[in-house]
Amino acid sequence: MHFVGMSPSALLAVFGAAAVAAVVLYVLKLRRRAVAVPFARIWDRVLRDQESNELFSQLKRWLSLLLQLVLLAALVFALGDPRIGEGTPRGKNVVVLIDASLSMQAIDVKPSRLFAAKEAAKRFVRGLGANDRAVVVQMDMLPTPLSTLSGEPSELEAAIDRVRAEDTPADLARALGFAEDSLRGLPEPSVVLATDGALALPSGPVSIPIQVLPVGTGDRNLAITEFAARRYPLDKSRVEVMLEVTNTNEQPADAEVTLYGDGAVIDVTRLRLGSRERLPRFYTDIAG
């Protein structure tokens, strides 16, 4: 026999505390209130009958207490969820990393790469075994756990729904460090990474197996990583604009930036970006 729920040591601790509380309450219930009554010879017979039944009354009280303790032990024993047969096989312990970086807002897959990554993560957690557990982590500049280490698909899917894309890059090295710390000492640790691949996977050996759930159809990731506009102090009808275009790929890329104002095209700029280059652009004296 083995326990799927609480461990035997925890069950003993719970039963000990509950048994002490039950005995104390039982003793307090047996305390009788002293009442002064007039004495008469008629009470002699009553007292003799009471003495003859005292042993039986005490036996009934002890049997009542014993029955309560047996019922309490059965309830505590049920908390351990006992099973007959071999011990429960050890399940996997998984950290599900969902890439929430800027590139996950791309819409080459509808409605977005992040939506596709969340759907892939949900399919994974639905396929977990009965003894598997997982924790959902949003991965951007800092890894953010959104669930506990749980085997309940409903809890994990609700955590996946809370992932939101950020306007920042993702720090994979920090996320993997978080995963290693979270799974240290647990059986069969692993990492599942839902990403569009716009980040560098570790080139060297890793201590935890990594399974990648790829999303997105484009092989290039370019993004506007900064944007700001302000009016001129002396002429409120005119503005200047600053933006930054980033190439997150290892290969050079061409980009076309179109600036709109009130629905009309103001400027079209063609750019050549090198490997992982961040290129700022300034637009001055724009009307509107």
Side-chain angles (χ1 to χ4, degrees):
M1 178 180 293
H2 61 278
F3 293 92
V4 177
M6 299 177 65
S7 63
S9 58
L11 292 176
L12 287 175
V14 172
F15 175 73
V20 170
V23 171
V24 170
L25 292 175
Y26 191 83
V27 171
L28 291 176
K29 181 180 178 181
L30 292 178
R31 292 182 61 185
R32 297 177 179 178
R33 181 169 57 91
V35 179
V37 296
F39 177 78
R41 291 290 181 184
I42 194 174
W43 291 104
D44 287 340
R45 183 176 179 180
V46 175
L47 293 175
R48 284 194 300 270
D49 292 340
Q50 182 177 1
E51 290 175 358
S52 63
N53 294 328
E54 183 176 358
L55 179 59
F56 182 69
S57 299
Q58 289 183 0
L59 181 60
K60 287 196 300 182
R61 288 197 296 269
W62 284 111
L63 287 176
S64 175
L65 177 60
L66 180 61
L67 180 60
Q68 292 186 39
L69 292 178
V70 169
L71 292 176
L72 181 61
L75 291 174
V76 173
F77 186 72
L79 294 177
D81 194 6
R83 304 288 177 89
I84 298 176
E86 297 181 358
T88 303
R90 296 191 305 177
K92 297 182 296 184
N93 291 276
V94 187
V95 171
V96 180
L97 297 176
I98 300 179
D99 189 353
S101 61
L102 179 65
S103 64
M104 296 297 286
Q105 300 181 40
I107 56 174
D108 54 337
V109 289
K110 301 298 181 181
S112 69
R113 291 182 181 180
L114 180 62
F115 181 85
K118 291 162 76 169
E119 290 300 305
K122 287 181 180 180
R123 288 193 295 270
F124 173 80
V125 300
R126 291 179 192 135
L128 290 174
N131 301 303
D132 298 338
R133 297 185 301 169
V135 56
V136 176
V137 179
Q138 175 171 320
M139 183 181 68
D140 44 68
M141 288 292 289
L142 293 173
T144 305
L146 301 178
S147 74
T148 60
L149 190 62
S150 171
E152 292 293 332
S154 58
E155 177 185 349
L156 298 174
E157 289 188 42
I160 292 171
D161 287 331
R162 291 195 292 271
V163 176
R164 296 290 182 268
E166 302 291 342
D167 297 332
T168 59
D171 192 334
L172 178 60
R174 181 172 291 177
L176 291 178
F178 172 85
E180 290 182 0
D181 292 340
S182 301
L183 301 178
R184 183 171 288 113
L186 297 179
E188 298 191 40
S190 63
V191 172
V192 169
L193 174 60
T195 179
D196 59 359
L199 41 80
L201 291 174
S203 57
V206 293
S207 60
I208 300 179
I210 301 176
Q211 175 185 350
V212 179
L213 305 178
V215 298
T217 58
D219 57 356
R220 297 185 307 160
N221 284 288
L222 294 95
I224 296 175
T225 50
E226 291 187 15
F227 184 90
R230 68 173 183 177
R231 297 186 182 276
Y232 288 111
L234 301 180
D235 187 355
K236 301 296 184 180
S237 65
R238 311 191 73 80
V239 299
E240 64 178 6
V241 174
M242 185 279 293
L243 63 84
E244 180 186 72
V245 182
T246 300
N247 176 22
T248 65
N249 307 284
E250 297 295 340
Q251 300 78 24
D254 296 319
E256 183 178 274
V257 180
T258 303
L259 186 65
Y260 291 86
D262 296 327
V265 176
I266 297 176
D267 184 85
V268 178
T269 305
R270 291 178 175 83
L271 305 174
R272 178 70 175 176
L273 294 94
S275 171
R276 297 195 174 274
E277 182 179 5
R278 304 167 71 95
L279 185 62
R281 304 295 295 176
F282 296 92
Y283 300 86
T284 60
D285 199 21
I286 299 175

